[in-house]
Amino acid sequence: MKLAFQIARRFLSSAKKQTIVIILGIAVGVSVQVFIGSLISGLQKDLVNTAIGSTSQITVTNKDDKLLIDNYEVVINEIKNTSDELIYVTPTATRGGGSLIKDSSRKELLLRGFDLTEANNIYKFTNKERLISGRLPEQTNEVMLGIGFKNAYEKNNINLELGSTITYEYTPSDSIELTIVGFFDLGVNQVNELWGITPLETVFLINGTQSISSVEMQVKDEFLADSIALELDQVLESSNLVTTNWKIEQASLLSGLQGQSISSLMIQVFVIISVVLGIASVLAITVMQKSKQIGILKAMGLTNKDSALVFLFEGMILGVFGAVVGVLLGLGLLYSFTTFAVDQTTGQPVVPINIEPSFIVLSAFIAFFASTLSALFPAIRSSKMTVIEVIRNA
Amino acid sequence: MPNVVELKNINKVYGENTPNPTQVLFDLSLNFEESSFNSIIGQSGSGKSTLLNILGTLDKATSGDVVINGKKTQDLKANELSTLRNESIGFIFQFHYLLPEFTAIENVLMPYKISKKPITEDVINRANELLDIVGLSTKKNNLANNLSGGQQQRVAIARSLINNPKIILADEPTGNLDSDTTEQVYELLREINLKFKTTFIIITHDRHIAEKADRIIEIKDGRINLDIKK
């Protein structure tokens, strides 16, 4: 073992240029893998975040969608006790079909009542890029409106000021005064032009009932949404409630994500294959180059096993150095990408990158094992080589 | 003197399973005594190298027995043969066959390292002593490639001795050396033979050299043509 390792090391160090070229070859493979992997996973995360990061991932409603959910506090408790994966859960009471009126200018409003602390975690109303001005509603009758309202009224030369009141007419004969405390921009026009958010109690007051229309929630790992929804379905079956989740509602997004994952995996697999082939062919040539040495070592009594180990060790040594250099190269590549390829306006990288230490360690290990594996065939070749074969060819 | 190597009815056929098999050795029997100095001569193609390779367990006889140190080698497994070679036989080849990646002293120590015994002060001293005997103590840290042909051959001789083998097999050890160096190398082998009581079996095509041996065996067409003991 020790001798085989010493010989392997000496073989490699005595052909420095060749060794460096092989290590670079492995390193480039590893760095491409690290880079592509981090890039795609970053894109993936960003896309998932944009698409479903700020929306309800599982929604519970009544089986009969015309009916509301009674005793909502009990239901919420039941839901929360079902899974630790549920991180944010808010009851939602909705009132539609009414209009905001200011200076006889009307605009349709869908009033959404939430548990605002939880809802803010889901919809992120107070995030820097989402909060245009003001704050979250805190008391009954306070409302935060989509930025679409402000713009629409501005066209009619009506300024919706923070702190001012506005009339919400929810039936031709009933109305309520709401205080505007803020404006949000959720990045979706339909929402910005239709939603006003308020504490649950405002909607309860208008509806004249303590029933809610749905429960909205987010989960720790968004890709588990469907299985958690299934669990919830079982728990809530008796209460006549059903769930829906983003994987059903956004099936095309999901298949897009899966497609991306698979193509990323394919790229990585082919990179590994090319690394393996590269090392195997170089080592196969090395065995031929060193056949004289192997012959003489065997004549002196080196066992077939040890002569195979020499090349396995060569593969391992190359793998270790290739992996280390490759990871450094890959990280350098990622670093320069995030540093130099930035959006001039926001200062954020053009392409979001997700560096996961576990993925990088995995890539390094794969390279190591691939190198060792690819040394297997040259090792077998070396083990089978006979002294007489070498002497005759000398 | 007891025999250290015995060959009994050795036949060697190349290409046994082909339409035109070639028999190289014919029913050849030979014994070599302990601490004797033997030379084998013969023309190219006479089968002398094949004989030496079979003696050294590098090649297998088609039939017949090879007994080394009392051990029948025909039935030994690959690993047992490796051990036998490592412990009992030293090889000196025509083209030196040093490992160019290693220094002179590392090359000398290689058979010992292959035996997997721990490297001790004693064995390093022995390697130095052997390099001293072959006159290369000043070059011991040179890479094998940085030595002249004669120097490499002398390192190979030192290497063949490191494990104290009973037998040294040499195939044209001076084949590509000039006549002065050839002379020196033979003097050296002779000295070692006397000092360590090592059995030498040397292939050469140089009659002048062969005549210095205690015994001359001539191989012709795969058979013993001449066997002279002085």
Side-chain angles (χ1 to χ4, degrees), chain B residues 148-199:
Chain B
S148 73
Q151 288 170 335
Q152 288 190 37
Q153 194 58 296
R154 281 184 278 157
V155 173
I157 292 167
R159 182 182 63 186
S160 70
L161 291 166
I162 188 79
N163 281 352
N164 265 324
K166 284 225 162 142
I167 310 145
I168 290 199
L169 301 177
D171 190 354
E172 303 271 13
T174 54
N176 57 349
L177 300 179
D178 61 57
S179 55
D180 281 354
T181 322
T182 300
E183 198 70 32
Q184 284 173 22
V185 168
Y186 272 98
E187 292 304 321
L188 185 59
L189 295 181
R190 229 2 181 167
E191 260 175 58
I192 291 161
N193 168 243
L194 294 174
K195 191 171 174 186
F196 297 114
K197 304 280 173 234
T198 316
T199 308

Side-chain angles (χ1 to χ4, degrees), chain A residues 170-181:
Chain A
Y170 50 94
T171 69
S173 52
D174 297 295
S175 65
I176 186 175
E177 293 293 307
L178 298 173
T179 309
I180 301 170
V181 295

Side-chain angles (χ1 to χ4, degrees), chain A residues 191-231:
Chain A
V191 172
N192 286 345
E193 300 214 354
L194 191 64
W195 281 24
I197 61 162
T198 184
L200 270 182
E201 291 73 20
T202 314
V203 181
F204 288 162
L205 199 72
I206 295 170
N207 285 349
T209 167
Q210 298 263 322
S211 300
I212 58 168
S213 43
S214 62
V215 180
E216 300 185 353
M217 61 202 95
Q218 280 197 345
V219 286
K220 243 184 242 168
D221 179 354
E222 42 289 84
F223 289 96
L224 292 180
D226 51 346
S227 60
I228 295 164
L230 215 64
E231 276 179 60

Side-chain angles (χ1 to χ4, degrees), chain A residues 163-270:
Chain A
S164 65
T165 56
I166 192 163
T167 309
Y168 180 51
E169 190 189 85
Y170 50 94
T171 69
S173 52
D174 297 295
S175 65
I176 186 175
E177 293 293 307
L178 298 173
T179 309
I180 301 170
V181 295
F183 290 99
F184 62 78
D185 176 5
L186 293 193
V188 181
N189 270 343
Q190 275 172 313
V191 172
N192 286 345
E193 300 214 354
L194 191 64
W195 281 24
I197 61 162
T198 184
L200 270 182
E201 291 73 20
T202 314
V203 181
F204 288 162
L205 199 72
I206 295 170
N207 285 349
T209 167
Q210 298 263 322
S211 300
I212 58 168
S213 43
S214 62
V215 180
E216 300 185 353
M217 61 202 95
Q218 280 197 345
V219 286
K220 243 184 242 168
D221 179 354
E222 42 289 84
F223 289 96
L224 292 180
D226 51 346
S227 60
I228 295 164
L230 215 64
E231 276 179 60
L232 285 175
D233 275 334
Q234 284 165 357
V235 173
L236 300 173
E237 175 74 46
S238 56
S239 324
N240 255 348
L241 302 178
V242 286
T243 64
T244 176
N245 66 77
W246 75 269
K247 283 192 167 178
I248 298 173
E249 289 172 332
Q250 309 215 40
S252 56
L253 169 70
L254 190 65
S255 73
L257 290 176
Q258 279 164 346
Q260 210 175 39
S261 294
I262 291 168
S263 47
S264 159
L265 197 69
M266 290 301 283
I267 294 174
Q268 293 177 40
V269 166
F270 280 111

Side-chain angles (χ1 to χ4, degrees), chain A residues 1 3 6-7 10-11 14 290 292-293 296-304 306 387-388 390-392 394, chain B residues 14 53 58-59 78-79 82-83 85-86 91 93 95 97 99-103 106 110-111 113-114 116 159:
Chain A
M1 281 284 270
L3 178 67
Q6 280 175 359
I7 296 173
R10 193 61 71 88
F11 277 1
S14 67
K290 303 290 184 194
K292 205 171 109 179
Q293 282 90 325
I296 189 69
L297 283 164
K298 282 192 174 182
M300 292 190 294
L302 190 77
T303 58
N304 291 338
D306 278 351
V387 184
I388 215 70
V390 176
I391 291 175
R392 283 214 202 99
Chain B
Y14 285 115
N53 290 335
L58 301 178
D59 204 353
N79 276 348
S82 293
T83 311
R85 278 202 297 271
N86 181 254
F91 289 94
F93 296 99
F95 297 106
Y97 284 161
L99 302 175
E101 295 85 357
F102 291 82
T103 63
E106 285 170 332
M110 195 54 76
K113 284 186 175 173
I114 289 172
K116 296 188 176 170
R159 182 182 63 186

